[in-house]
Amino acid sequence: GLAPDAVLIAGEQSAFRPRLEPIAPVLHFDPFRENHDNAAVARATLLDLGGLLERRDLAESKLAAMDARLAALKAEIADAYDGNPPRVTLIRFIDDKRVVIYTANGMPAAALGALGLHSAYPAPPSRWGLAFKPVTELAVIDEGLVLHIEPFPAAGELFPTALWQAMPFVAEGRFGSLPTLWTYGGAMSIGRIGEAIAAELLFRRSR
């Protein structure tokens, strides 16, 4: 039978703790909450897991390498935009009528912050760092870039419409896309999101 050294659970899985404790010691992680810094907790969780697996040095080196890379990208962006980079709002389409706008306390927000960037859609922190909105809400974003995270299967239904073409950031060429990214991941996902954002900003400046 199973004989694990530990059982890892997260979030609402804490309800299963009494049933799991007879099997092995249970470690509970609570990565996403409205009233704490999700990115900071993700970093701490990675270090805790590194310690549990006797690989804390590796976890620390991974975080240090990510931080150094993001700092380098931040400097590149600042140089490319003469110290005044645009605001960047990240979104993900649900369908042709609904959209997720990434806000404070999410991994995308942490990536933006590490790059010295800010969203043009300020909103209070939430558990997942996002807001569910109708597509029409995007019309309030009146500055900077709006970047959507692929995929968007319904792009052909929304993008040709008069509604979409009238969005200021579309009409002014301030709309773009990012490759598929996991935005609810752990600490290392901050680096991957940051790399994608930086690549888009630096590409736009090089044209």
Side-chain angles (χ1 to χ4, degrees):
L2 295 177
D5 295 320
V7 176
L8 310 183
I9 58 176
E12 286 79 5
Q13 292 175 332
S14 58
F16 300 114
R17 189 169 198 147
R19 298 175 63 184
L20 295 170
E21 285 179 331
I23 300 172
V26 175
L27 299 178
H28 176 249
F29 296 95
D30 196 8
F32 294 97
R33 283 173 49 189
E34 182 176 341
N35 60 352
H36 73 201
D37 183 333
N38 287 338
V41 170
R43 294 175 68 96
T45 298
L46 180 62
L47 294 175
D48 288 344
L49 290 173
L52 177 67
L53 300 172
E54 300 180 354
R55 296 290 189 276
R56 186 180 175 92
D57 288 349
L58 177 60
E60 290 175 347
S61 68
K62 290 287 188 182
L63 287 175
M66 179 183 74
D67 291 342
R69 175 60 176 159
L70 290 172
L73 291 171
K74 176 181 178 180
E76 283 189 52
I77 292 169
D79 182 63
Y81 287 87
D82 299 321
N84 188 32
R87 289 184 176 269
V88 178
T89 304
L90 302 179
I91 66 173
R92 187 190 299 271
F93 291 101
I94 301 172
D95 53 36
D96 62 326
K97 295 181 176 61
R98 299 173 297 163
V99 66
V100 166
I101 305 176
Y102 290 99
T103 59
N105 208 31
M107 299 305 156
L112 287 174
L115 296 173
L117 303 172
H118 303 278
S119 173
Y121 189 86
S126 66
R127 180 180 183 183
W128 299 102
L130 53 80
F132 291 95
K133 297 292 181 178
V135 165
T136 51
E137 177 71 8
L138 296 175
V140 307
I141 302 172
D142 58 4
E143 63 175 314
L145 301 177
V146 176
L147 303 178
H148 86 93
I149 299 172
E150 296 282 8
F152 179 31
E157 299 173 33
L158 175 62
F159 291 170
T161 64
L163 169 70
W164 182 253
Q165 293 299 318
M167 294 281 180
F169 56 85
V170 176
E172 296 165 12
R174 295 185 284 109
F175 178 66
S177 65
L178 297 179
T180 301
L181 296 164
W182 182 239
T183 52
Y184 313 104
M188 302 309 297
S189 67
I190 297 170
R192 298 185 188 99
I193 297 167
E195 289 272 5
I197 296 168
E200 176 65 16
L201 264 66
L202 294 172
F203 171 74
R204 283 175 170 267
R205 202 57 170 173
S206 68
R207 291 189 295 182

